[in-house]
Coordinates of all heavy atoms in Angstrom, one line a residue:
M1 N 152.4 33.4 27.8 CA 151.7 32.4 28.5 C 152.1 32.2 30.0 O 153.3 32.1 30.2 CB 151.7 31.1 27.9 CG 150.7 30.0 28.3 SD 150.8 28.6 27.3 CE 149.6 27.5 28.1
A2 N 151.3 32.2 30.9 CA 151.6 32.1 32.3 C 152.2 30.7 32.7 O 151.7 29.7 32.0 CB 150.4 32.4 33.2
D3 N 153.0 30.6 33.7 CA 153.7 29.3 33.9 C 153.3 28.9 35.3 O 153.7 29.6 36.2 CB 155.2 29.4 33.7 CG 156.0 28.3 34.1 OD1 155.4 27.3 34.5 OD2 157.3 28.4 34.1
S4 N 152.6 27.9 35.5 CA 152.2 27.5 36.8 C 153.4 27.2 37.8 O 153.2 27.2 38.9 CB 151.3 26.2 36.9 OG 151.9 25.0 36.3
T5 N 154.5 26.9 37.2 CA 155.6 26.6 38.1 C 156.3 27.9 38.6 O 156.9 27.9 39.7 CB 156.9 25.8 37.5 OG1 157.4 26.7 36.3 CG2 156.4 24.5 36.8
S6 N 155.8 29.1 38.1 CA 156.2 30.4 38.6 C 155.0 31.1 39.4 O 155.0 32.2 39.5 CB 156.6 31.3 37.5 OG 157.7 30.7 36.8
R7 N 154.0 30.3 39.7 CA 152.9 30.8 40.5 C 153.5 31.5 41.7 O 154.1 31.0 42.5 CB 151.9 29.6 40.7 CG 150.7 29.9 41.5 CD 150.0 28.5 41.7 NE 148.8 28.7 42.3 CZ 147.5 28.4 41.9 NH1 147.4 27.9 40.7 NH2 146.4 28.7 42.5
L8 N 152.9 32.7 41.9 CA 153.3 33.5 43.1 C 152.6 33.0 44.3 O 151.5 32.6 44.2 CB 153.0 34.9 43.0 CG 153.8 35.8 42.0 CD1 153.1 37.1 41.6 CD2 155.2 36.1 42.4
P9 N 153.4 33.0 45.5 CA 152.8 32.6 46.8 C 151.8 33.7 47.1 O 151.9 34.8 46.6 CB 153.9 32.7 47.7 CG 155.1 33.4 47.0 CD 154.9 33.3 45.6
G10 N 150.6 33.2 47.8 CA 149.5 34.2 48.1 C 148.4 34.0 47.2 O 147.3 34.4 47.6
N11 N 148.5 33.3 46.0 CA 147.3 33.0 45.1 C 146.6 32.0 45.9 O 147.1 30.9 46.5 CB 147.9 32.4 43.8 CG 148.3 33.4 42.9 OD1 147.6 34.2 42.4 ND2 149.6 33.3 42.5
E12 N 145.3 32.1 45.9 CA 144.4 31.1 46.4 C 144.4 29.8 45.6 O 144.7 29.9 44.4 CB 142.9 31.5 46.4 CG 142.1 30.5 47.2 CD 140.5 30.9 47.2 OE1 140.1 31.1 45.9 OE2 139.9 30.8 48.1
S13 N 144.5 28.6 46.2 CA 144.6 27.5 45.4 C 143.4 27.3 44.4 O 142.3 27.8 44.8 CB 144.7 26.3 46.4 OG 143.5 26.1 47.0
G14 N 143.6 26.9 43.3 CA 142.6 26.7 42.3 C 143.1 27.0 40.9 O 144.3 27.2 40.8
D15 N 142.2 27.1 40.0 CA 142.7 27.2 38.5 C 143.4 28.5 38.2 O 144.4 28.5 37.4 CB 141.4 27.1 37.6 CG 140.9 25.6 37.6 OD1 141.6 24.6 38.1 OD2 139.8 25.3 37.2
F16 N 142.9 29.6 38.5 CA 143.5 30.9 38.3 C 144.7 31.3 39.1 O 144.5 31.0 40.4 CB 142.4 32.0 38.3 CG 141.5 32.0 37.1 CD1 140.3 31.3 37.2 CD2 141.7 32.7 36.0 CE1 139.4 31.2 36.2 CE2 140.9 32.6 34.9 CZ 139.7 31.8 34.9
Y17 N 145.6 31.8 38.6 CA 146.8 32.3 39.4 C 147.5 33.4 38.6 O 147.3 33.6 37.5 CB 147.7 31.2 39.6 CG 148.3 30.6 38.4 CD1 149.6 31.0 38.0 CD2 147.7 29.5 37.8 CE1 150.0 30.6 36.7 CE2 148.3 29.1 36.6 CZ 149.5 29.6 36.0 OH 149.9 28.9 34.9
V18 N 148.3 34.2 39.3 CA 149.2 35.1 38.8 C 150.7 34.5 38.9 O 151.1 34.1 40.0 CB 149.1 36.6 39.4 CG1 150.2 37.6 38.9 CG2 147.7 37.1 39.3
D19 N 151.5 34.6 37.9 CA 152.9 34.1 38.0 C 153.8 35.3 38.2 O 153.5 36.5 38.3 CB 153.3 33.2 36.8 CG 153.6 34.0 35.6 OD1 153.7 35.2 35.6 OD2 153.7 33.4 34.6
S20 N 155.2 34.9 38.3 CA 156.1 35.9 38.6 C 156.5 37.0 37.6 O 157.4 37.8 37.9 CB 157.4 35.3 39.1 OG 157.9 34.5 38.0
T21 N 155.9 36.9 36.4 CA 156.1 37.8 35.5 C 155.3 39.1 35.5 O 155.4 40.0 34.7 CB 155.9 37.3 34.1 OG1 154.7 36.8 33.8 CG2 156.9 36.1 33.8
C22 N 154.3 39.0 36.5 CA 153.5 40.2 36.7 C 154.3 41.6 36.9 O 155.4 41.6 37.6 CB 152.7 40.1 38.1 SG 151.6 41.4 38.6
I23 N 153.8 42.7 36.2 CA 154.4 44.0 36.3 C 153.7 45.0 37.0 O 153.9 46.1 36.9 CB 154.8 44.5 34.9 CG1 153.5 44.6 34.0 CG2 155.9 43.6 34.1 CD1 153.7 45.4 32.6
A24 N 152.7 44.4 37.7 CA 151.9 45.2 38.6 C 151.1 46.4 38.0 O 151.1 47.5 38.6 CB 152.7 45.8 39.8
C25 N 150.6 46.2 36.8 CA 150.0 47.3 36.0 C 148.5 47.5 36.6 O 147.9 48.5 36.2 CB 149.9 46.9 34.5 SG 148.6 45.6 34.1
V26 N 148.1 46.6 37.4 CA 146.7 46.8 38.2 C 145.5 46.5 37.2 O 144.2 46.7 37.6 CB 146.5 48.2 38.8 CG1 145.4 48.1 39.9 CG2 147.9 48.5 39.5
T27 N 145.7 46.1 35.9 CA 144.5 45.9 35.0 C 143.6 44.8 35.6 O 142.4 45.0 35.7 CB 145.1 45.5 33.6 OG1 145.9 46.6 33.1 CG2 143.9 45.1 32.8
C28 N 144.2 43.8 36.0 CA 143.4 42.6 36.5 C 142.6 43.1 37.7 O 141.4 42.6 37.9 CB 144.2 41.3 36.8 SG 145.5 41.6 38.0
V29 N 143.0 43.8 38.6 CA 142.4 44.2 39.8 C 141.3 45.2 39.5 O 140.2 45.2 40.0 CB 143.4 45.0 40.8 CG1 142.7 45.5 42.0 CG2 144.5 44.1 41.2
T30 N 141.5 45.9 38.4 CA 140.5 46.9 37.9 C 139.3 46.2 37.3 O 138.1 46.4 37.5 CB 141.1 47.9 36.9 OG1 142.1 48.6 37.6 CG2 140.0 49.0 36.5
V31 N 139.6 45.2 36.5 CA 138.6 44.4 35.6 C 137.9 43.5 36.6 O 136.7 43.2 36.5 CB 139.3 43.6 34.6 CG1 138.4 42.6 33.9 CG2 139.9 44.6 33.5
A32 N 138.6 42.7 37.5 CA 138.0 41.7 38.3 C 138.2 41.8 39.7 O 139.1 41.0 40.5 CB 138.3 40.3 37.8
P33 N 137.9 42.8 40.5 CA 138.3 43.2 41.8 C 137.8 42.1 42.8 O 138.3 42.1 43.9 CB 137.7 44.5 42.1 CG 136.5 44.7 41.2 CD 137.0 44.0 39.9
E34 N 136.8 41.3 42.5 CA 136.3 40.3 43.4 C 137.4 39.1 43.5 O 137.2 38.3 44.4 CB 134.9 39.8 42.8 CG 133.8 40.7 42.7 CD 133.4 41.3 44.1 OE1 133.6 40.7 45.1 OE2 133.2 42.6 44.0
C35 N 138.3 39.1 42.5 CA 139.1 38.0 42.5 C 140.6 38.3 42.6 O 141.4 37.5 43.1 CB 138.9 37.2 41.2 SG 137.2 36.4 41.1
F36 N 140.9 39.5 42.1 CA 142.4 39.9 42.0 C 142.7 41.0 43.0 O 141.8 41.9 43.2 CB 142.9 40.4 40.7 CG 142.9 39.4 39.6 CD1 141.7 38.9 39.0 CD2 144.1 38.7 39.4 CE1 141.7 37.9 37.9 CE2 144.1 37.7 38.2 CZ 142.9 37.4 37.6
S37 N 143.8 41.0 43.7 CA 144.1 42.1 44.4 C 145.8 42.3 44.3 O 146.4 41.4 43.9 CB 143.7 42.0 45.9 OG 144.4 41.0 46.5
M38 N 146.1 43.5 44.8 CA 147.5 43.8 44.7 C 148.1 43.2 46.0 O 147.4 43.1 47.1 CB 147.8 45.3 44.5 CG 147.3 45.9 43.1 SD 147.8 45.0 41.8 CE 149.6 45.4 41.8
K39 N 149.4 43.0 46.0 CA 150.0 42.3 47.1 C 151.5 42.8 47.3 O 152.1 43.2 46.3 CB 150.1 40.7 46.8 CG 150.5 39.8 48.0 CD 149.4 39.6 49.0 CE 149.8 38.5 50.1 NZ 148.8 38.5 51.0
N40 N 152.0 42.6 48.5 CA 153.3 43.1 49.0 C 153.7 44.5 48.4 O 154.6 44.8 47.6 CB 154.4 42.0 48.2 CG 154.3 40.7 48.8 OD1 153.8 40.5 49.9 ND2 154.8 39.8 47.9
S41 N 152.9 45.4 48.9 CA 153.2 46.9 48.8 C 153.1 47.2 47.2 O 153.8 47.9 46.7 CB 154.4 47.4 49.3 OG 154.6 47.1 50.6
N42 N 152.0 46.5 46.6 CA 151.6 46.7 45.2 C 152.7 46.2 44.3 O 153.0 46.6 43.1 CB 151.3 48.2 44.8 CG 150.2 48.5 45.6 OD1 149.2 47.8 45.9 ND2 150.0 49.9 45.9
E43 N 153.6 45.2 44.7 CA 154.6 44.8 43.9 C 154.1 43.9 42.8 O 154.7 43.9 41.7 CB 155.6 44.0 44.8 CG 157.0 43.8 44.2 CD 157.9 43.0 45.1 OE1 158.3 43.7 46.3 OE2 158.1 41.9 45.1
H44 N 153.0 43.4 43.1 CA 152.4 42.5 42.0 C 150.9 42.1 42.5 O 150.6 42.4 43.5 CB 153.2 41.0 41.9 CG 153.2 40.1 43.2 ND1 152.2 39.5 43.6 CD2 154.2 40.2 44.1 CE1 152.6 38.9 44.8 NE2 153.8 39.5 45.2
S45 N 150.1 41.4 41.7 CA 149.0 41.1 42.0 C 148.8 39.5 42.3 O 149.8 38.9 41.9 CB 147.8 41.3 41.0 OG 148.0 40.4 39.8
I46 N 147.7 39.1 42.9 CA 147.4 37.7 43.1 C 146.0 37.5 42.9 O 145.2 38.4 42.8 CB 147.9 37.2 44.6 CG1 147.1 38.1 45.6 CG2 149.4 37.2 44.7 CD1 146.9 37.5 46.9
V47 N 145.6 36.1 42.8 CA 144.3 35.8 42.8 C 144.0 35.4 44.3 O 144.3 34.4 44.8 CB 144.0 34.6 41.9 CG1 142.5 34.0 42.1 CG2 144.3 34.9 40.4
Y48 N 143.3 36.4 45.0 CA 143.0 36.1 46.3 C 141.7 35.3 46.6 O 141.5 34.8 47.6 CB 142.8 37.5 47.1 CG 141.7 38.3 46.9 CD1 140.6 38.2 47.8 CD2 141.6 39.2 45.8 CE1 139.4 39.0 47.6 CE2 140.5 40.0 45.7 CZ 139.3 39.8 46.4 OH 138.2 40.6 46.4
K49 N 140.8 35.2 45.5 CA 139.7 34.5 45.5 C 139.4 33.8 44.2 O 139.4 34.6 43.2 CB 138.5 35.3 46.0 CG 137.2 34.4 46.3 CD 136.1 35.3 46.7 CE 135.2 35.9 45.5 NZ 134.6 34.9 44.7
Q50 N 139.2 32.5 44.0 CA 138.8 32.0 42.8 C 137.5 32.4 42.4 O 136.5 32.6 43.3 CB 139.0 30.5 42.9 CG 140.3 30.0 43.2 CD 141.3 30.1 42.0 OE1 140.9 30.2 40.8 NE2 142.6 30.4 42.3
P51 N 137.2 32.5 41.1 CA 135.7 32.9 40.7 C 134.8 31.8 41.1 O 135.0 30.6 41.1 CB 135.9 33.0 39.2 CG 137.0 32.2 38.9 CD 137.9 32.4 39.9
S52 N 133.6 32.2 41.6 CA 132.6 31.3 42.2 C 131.3 31.5 41.5 O 130.3 30.7 41.9 CB 132.5 31.6 43.8 OG 132.0 33.0 43.9
N53 N 131.2 32.2 40.5 CA 130.0 32.2 39.7 C 130.4 32.7 38.2 O 131.6 32.9 37.9 CB 129.0 33.2 40.2 CG 129.5 34.6 40.3 OD1 130.0 35.1 39.5 ND2 129.3 35.2 41.6
E54 N 129.4 32.6 37.3 CA 129.8 32.9 35.8 C 130.4 34.3 35.5 O 131.2 34.4 34.7 CB 128.4 32.5 35.0 CG 128.2 31.1 34.7 CD 129.4 30.5 33.9 OE1 129.9 31.1 33.0 OE2 129.8 29.3 34.2
E55 N 129.7 35.2 36.3 CA 130.2 36.5 36.1 C 131.6 36.7 36.5 O 132.5 37.3 35.7 CB 129.2 37.5 37.0 CG 129.6 39.0 36.6 CD 128.9 40.0 37.4 OE1 127.9 39.5 38.2 OE2 129.1 41.2 37.3
E56 N 131.9 36.2 37.7 CA 133.2 36.3 38.2 C 134.3 35.6 37.2 O 135.3 36.1 37.0 CB 133.4 35.7 39.6 CG 132.9 36.8 40.6 CD 132.9 36.2 42.0 OE1 133.6 35.1 42.3 OE2 132.4 36.9 42.9
Y57 N 133.9 34.4 36.7 CA 134.7 33.6 35.7 C 134.9 34.5 34.6 O 136.1 34.5 34.0 CB 134.0 32.3 35.5 CG 134.8 31.4 34.5 CD1 135.9 30.7 35.0 CD2 134.4 31.3 33.1 CE1 136.6 29.9 34.0 CE2 135.2 30.7 32.3 CZ 136.2 30.0 32.8 OH 136.9 29.2 31.9
S58 N 133.9 35.1 34.0 CA 134.0 35.8 32.7 C 135.0 37.0 33.0 O 135.8 37.4 32.1 CB 132.6 36.4 32.3 OG 131.8 35.3 31.9
L59 N 134.9 37.7 34.1 CA 135.8 38.7 34.4 C 137.3 38.2 34.5 O 138.2 39.0 34.2 CB 135.3 39.5 35.6 CG 134.0 40.3 35.4 CD1 133.4 40.9 36.7 CD2 134.2 41.4 34.3
C60 N 137.5 37.1 35.1 CA 138.8 36.5 35.3 C 139.3 36.2 33.8 O 140.5 36.6 33.7 CB 138.7 35.3 36.1 SG 138.7 35.7 37.9
I61 N 138.6 35.7 33.0 CA 139.0 35.5 31.6 C 139.4 36.7 31.0 O 140.4 36.9 30.2 CB 137.9 34.8 30.9 CG1 137.8 33.3 31.4 CG2 138.2 34.6 29.3 CD1 138.9 32.3 31.2
E62 N 138.5 37.8 31.2 CA 138.8 39.1 30.6 C 140.1 39.6 31.0 O 141.0 40.1 30.3 CB 137.6 40.1 30.7 CG 137.7 41.3 30.2 CD 136.6 42.2 30.4 OE1 135.4 41.8 30.8 OE2 136.7 43.5 30.1
A63 N 140.4 39.5 32.4 CA 141.6 40.0 33.0 C 142.8 39.2 32.4 O 143.8 39.8 32.0 CB 141.6 39.8 34.4
L64 N 142.5 38.0 32.1 CA 143.7 37.0 31.7 C 144.0 37.6 30.2 O 145.1 37.7 29.8 CB 143.1 35.7 31.6 CG 144.1 34.5 31.1 CD1 143.7 33.1 31.7 CD2 144.1 34.3 29.6
E65 N 143.0 37.9 29.4 CA 143.2 38.2 28.0 C 143.8 39.8 27.9 O 144.5 39.9 27.0 CB 141.9 38.2 27.2 CG 141.3 36.7 27.1 CD 140.1 36.7 26.5 OE1 139.3 37.7 26.4 OE2 139.6 35.5 26.1
L66 N 143.6 40.5 28.9 CA 144.0 41.9 28.9 C 145.4 42.0 29.4 O 145.9 43.0 29.4 CB 143.0 42.8 29.6 CG 141.7 43.0 28.8 CD1 140.7 43.8 29.9 CD2 141.9 43.9 27.7
C67 N 145.9 41.1 30.2 CA 147.2 41.1 30.9 C 148.2 41.4 29.9 O 148.5 40.5 29.0 CB 147.4 39.9 31.8 SG 149.1 40.0 32.6
P68 N 149.0 42.6 30.1 CA 149.9 42.9 29.0 C 151.1 41.9 28.9 O 151.9 41.8 27.9 CB 150.3 44.3 29.3 CG 150.1 44.3 30.8 CD 148.8 43.6 31.0
V69 N 151.4 41.2 29.9 CA 152.6 40.3 29.9 C 152.1 38.8 30.1 O 153.0 38.0 30.4 CB 153.5 40.7 31.1 CG1 154.2 42.0 30.7 CG2 152.9 40.7 32.4
S70 N 150.8 38.5 29.9 CA 150.3 37.1 30.0 C 150.7 36.5 31.3 O 151.3 35.4 31.3 CB 150.7 36.2 28.8 OG 150.2 36.8 27.6
A71 N 150.7 37.1 32.4 CA 151.1 36.7 33.7 C 149.9 35.9 34.5 O 150.2 35.3 35.5 CB 151.5 37.8 34.6
I72 N 148.8 35.9 33.8 CA 147.7 35.3 34.4 C 147.3 33.9 33.8 O 147.3 33.8 32.6 CB 146.3 36.1 34.4 CG1 146.6 37.5 35.1 CG2 145.1 35.3 35.0 CD1 145.4 38.4 34.8
G73 N 147.3 32.8 34.7 CA 147.1 31.5 34.2 C 145.8 31.0 34.6 O 145.2 31.5 35.5
D74 N 145.3 30.0 33.8 CA 144.1 29.2 34.1 C 144.3 27.8 33.8 O 144.4 27.5 32.6 CB 142.9 29.9 33.3 CG 141.6 29.1 33.3 OD1 141.5 28.2 34.3 OD2 140.8 29.2 32.4
D75 N 144.5 27.1 34.7 CA 144.7 25.6 34.5 C 143.4 24.9 34.3 O 143.4 23.5 34.3 CB 145.5 25.0 35.8 CG 146.9 25.5 35.8 OD1 147.4 26.0 34.7 OD2 147.6 25.3 36.8
G76 N 142.3 25.5 34.4 CA 141.0 24.9 34.2 C 140.7 24.3 32.9 O 141.5 24.6 31.8
Ligands
LIG101 S1 147.1 42.5 34.5 FE1 148.9 41.1 34.5 S2 150.7 42.5 34.8 FE2 148.8 43.6 35.2 S3 148.7 43.5 37.6 FE3 147.5 41.8 36.7 S4 148.7 39.9 36.5 FE4 150.1 41.8 36.8

């Protein structure tokens, strides 16, 4: 389970975030490219844009569920 106290810098403020346990597998960026991107020379991903419609929200939830190390959090 993601930990909001380990939220990586660079995440846009809001409910979704990537924490420091990210292993840079790129799954979230593939699933939800409107909201996730790789950062710091592909060292990890961040939420660069919070979902702003139902489709983006659903894709963020899908990314959260697919993350192999549960590094994606949703405080909503
Ligand atoms: S799916 Fe999880 S481990 Fe993979 S890049 Fe995204 S946050 Fe990191």
Side-chain angles (χ1 to χ4, degrees):
M1 186 174 176
D3 177 4
S4 61
T5 63
S6 299
R7 184 181 179 119
L8 287 167
N11 283 290
E12 184 185 51
S13 61
D15 290 341
F16 283 92
Y17 61 91
V18 175
D19 79 9
S20 60
T21 61
C22 173
I23 57 169
C25 74
V26 195
T27 298
C28 56
V29 179
T30 303
V31 170
E34 301 297 327
C35 297
F36 291 85
S37 66
M38 299 309 290
K39 189 81 174 169
N40 292 340
S41 303
N42 297 331
E43 199 174 288
H44 61 79
S45 71
I46 55 161
V47 175
Y48 74 95
K49 187 183 87 65
Q50 297 291 329
S52 57
N53 57 49
E54 278 300 315
E55 184 184 354
E56 288 178 3
Y57 178 80
S58 294
L59 290 172
C60 284
I61 292 293
E62 188 176 340
L64 184 155
E65 291 172 348
L66 288 172
C67 177
V69 292
S70 301
I72 299 171
D74 173 14
D75 285 346

